[in-house]
Amino acid sequence: MGIVAAADENTAPRRRGRRPGGADTRTSLLDAARAVFAERGYDGATVRVIAERAGVDPAMVNHWFGGKEPLFVAALNLPADPATILGEAVSGDPDELAERILCRLLEVWDSTGGAQFAALLQSIATQDVAAALLREFIARVLVGKVLREVAPDRPELRATLCGTQMFGLAFVRYVLKVEPLASADHATIVSAVAPNLQRYLTGPLP
Amino acid sequence: MGIVAAADENTAPRRRGRRPGGADTRTSLLDAARAVFAERGYDGATVRVIAERAGVDPAMVNHWFGGKEPLFVAALNLPADPATILGEAVSGDPDELAERILCRLLEVWDSTGGAQFAALLQSIATQDVAAALLREFIARVLVGKVLREVAPDRPELRATLCGTQMFGLAFVRYVLKVEPLASADHATIVSAVAPNLQRYLTGPLP
């Protein structure tokens, strides 16, 4: 799954020189993007460096992904684009932001029975590259897209606190599978967890 | 390490018959306990079955551990006895319970620089036996020792919700290592997280 599989593909021998723009160009760009984003962070990873690592023309990034940010999101290989989910959730009553985020996350996670999250966790626990990509994800998507807009004070701390609640929820529900949370319906989870997530998003912090 | 190392030891050839009570009796009992608790749960795992699996006399469980519950806690191989930590935290102002639990957990986790938690997570992500032991831990220690006392309504749901916050915090701080949470001091974390944990412990739930 996802990042695990990508890392394995990375060990395949790399052809030299620029390649024509076929389906394997897309795969090469994804592999190169995972490696370069993890090594240099989002800001340090330029389209030029990623294309060079993939051995393709930099114009192929725009051709296949439409830019650096969509390439980054594709490299994370999540079941739905979290930038889109969180971006959509931001519109609407800010006091119900946590509720909207949790509803969408539960839908996405449950759609693979939690398998995608479990695979992601396994790759994080065993590969530093996956942890580095997720750190970047929290910084770029959670802080950049959501928190700077809804809670301009201490967005970085808020993003990590939101991360603790969201990862912890997925971990206990899909990996540890502890009842009654493992089979609780969405309404129960949202009403139990949303007030806590909302405090991290917009409540008073120390 | 802990559960990972223990699982490796499990693959060592097992001698037949009862053994004298030496240091390897203790190790055999721990290995057997991890396997039997994971297979049968806490209630189904009897001292007799564990001793039989270890190939030692059942009296050795009392001799080395003082009973089934201390054996279970030892089998989890945590840096400090969580049953003791949580048991101690219960005495005192119930409105500051979350604060006391978080202070002690951060001390314990930080004492190994988070390494113990990272190893535990890795074993959970890759071995079902570790997840099963932790499920039992949440049910026995969190529900049995803490929540039935402080919040008799819905103790099982509360325990899993507390679990989401505690695991998520350790995950983001020690495994993902996202700043500013990764190097935040204890006072900052406790004042940011304690109100949320306290709501799961004693606040109103749906």
Side-chain angles (χ1 to χ4, degrees):
Chain A
M1 301 286 302
I3 293 172
V4 176
D8 292 342
E9 286 157 21
N10 261 332
T11 61
R14 198 162 275 146
R15 285 193 258 154
R16 290 188 177 278
R18 307 222 155 166
R19 300 182 229 178
D24 75 337
T25 296
R26 195 178 176 279
T27 308
S28 306
L29 277 171
L30 282 173
D31 290 348
R34 286 182 192 107
V36 176
F37 282 127
E39 284 165 28
R40 307 186 171 209
Y42 184 86
D43 292 323
T46 63
V47 164
R48 193 186 53 75
V49 169
I50 294 170
E52 202 167 88
R53 181 80 59 100
V56 305
D57 193 278
M60 289 295 109
V61 170
N62 267 323
H63 174 73
W64 283 100
F65 299 95
K68 174 171 145 179
E69 183 174 318
L71 171 59
F72 175 67
V73 169
L76 279 163
N77 209 359
L78 300 176
D81 174 357
T84 307
I85 292 179
L86 294 174
E88 283 169 8
V90 168
S91 10
D93 183 352
D95 292 340
E96 290 166 6
L97 177 57
E99 212 174 301
R100 289 193 298 275
I101 290 176
L102 281 171
C103 285
R104 279 296 287 139
L105 280 181
L106 286 167
E107 268 173 41
V108 169
W109 287 336
D110 274 15
S111 70
T112 62
Q116 187 118 16
F117 182 83
L120 181 70
L121 190 83
Q122 191 160 6
S123 63
I124 291 164
T126 53
Q127 298 172 48
D128 285 344
V129 56
L133 276 176
L134 265 179
R135 265 196 299 277
E136 278 297 300
F137 166 73
I138 290 175
R140 303 297 307 176
V141 178
L142 266 178
V143 178
K145 295 245 166 209
V146 180
L147 283 155
R148 229 179 280 287
E149 213 166 306
V150 299
D153 72 306
R154 315 189 73 180
E156 290 84 6
L157 179 62
R158 288 179 190 279
T160 54
L161 292 169
C162 291
T164 68
Q165 181 57 81
M166 296 190 298
F167 281 112
L169 172 60
F171 182 70
V172 172
R173 182 170 166 89
Y174 302 113
V175 180
L176 279 189
K177 296 179 184 150
V178 192
E179 295 299 356
L181 198 66
S183 29
D185 58 28
H186 291 193
T188 303
I189 298 176
V190 170
S191 55
V193 176
N196 280 21
L197 187 63
Q198 187 71 39
R199 177 174 169 268
Y200 287 155
L201 287 165
T202 58
L205 281 192
Chain B
M1 297 307 300
I3 294 173
V4 176
D8 292 343
E9 286 156 22
N10 261 332
T11 60
R14 197 163 277 145
R15 285 192 257 155
R16 288 187 180 278
R18 306 222 157 168
R19 299 183 230 175
D24 76 337
T25 296
R26 194 176 177 280
T27 308
S28 305
L29 277 170
L30 282 173
D31 290 348
R34 287 183 192 106
V36 176
F37 281 127
E39 284 165 26
R40 307 186 170 208
Y42 184 86
D43 292 324
T46 62
V47 164
R48 193 185 54 74
V49 170
I50 294 169
E52 202 167 88
R53 181 80 60 99
V56 305
D57 192 279
M60 289 296 109
V61 170
N62 267 323
H63 174 73
W64 283 100
F65 299 96
K68 174 171 145 180
E69 184 174 318
L71 170 62
F72 175 67
V73 169
L76 278 163
N77 209 358
L78 300 176
D81 174 357
T84 308
I85 291 179
L86 295 174
E88 284 168 7
V90 168
S91 10
D93 183 352
D95 291 341
E96 290 166 6
L97 177 57
E99 212 174 301
R100 289 193 297 276
I101 290 176
L102 281 171
C103 285
R104 280 295 288 139
L105 280 180
L106 286 167
E107 269 173 41
V108 169
W109 286 336
D110 275 15
S111 70
T112 62
Q116 186 118 19
F117 182 83
L120 181 71
L121 189 83
Q122 191 160 6
S123 64
I124 291 163
T126 54
Q127 298 171 48
D128 286 344
V129 56
L133 276 176
L134 265 180
R135 266 195 301 276
E136 278 297 301
F137 165 73
I138 290 176
R140 303 297 307 177
V141 178
L142 266 178
V143 178
K145 296 246 166 208
V146 180
L147 282 155
R148 230 179 278 288
E149 214 166 306
V150 299
D153 73 305
R154 315 189 74 179
E156 290 83 7
L157 180 61
R158 288 180 190 278
T160 53
L161 292 169
C162 291
T164 68
Q165 180 58 80
M166 296 191 297
F167 281 111
L169 172 59
F171 183 69
V172 172
R173 181 170 166 89
Y174 302 114
V175 180
L176 279 189
K177 295 180 184 150
V178 193
E179 297 297 357
L181 197 67
S183 26
D185 58 29
H186 291 193
T188 303
I189 298 176
V190 170
S191 55
V193 176
N196 280 21
L197 186 63
Q198 186 72 38
R199 177 174 169 267
Y200 286 154
L201 286 165
T202 57
L205 281 192

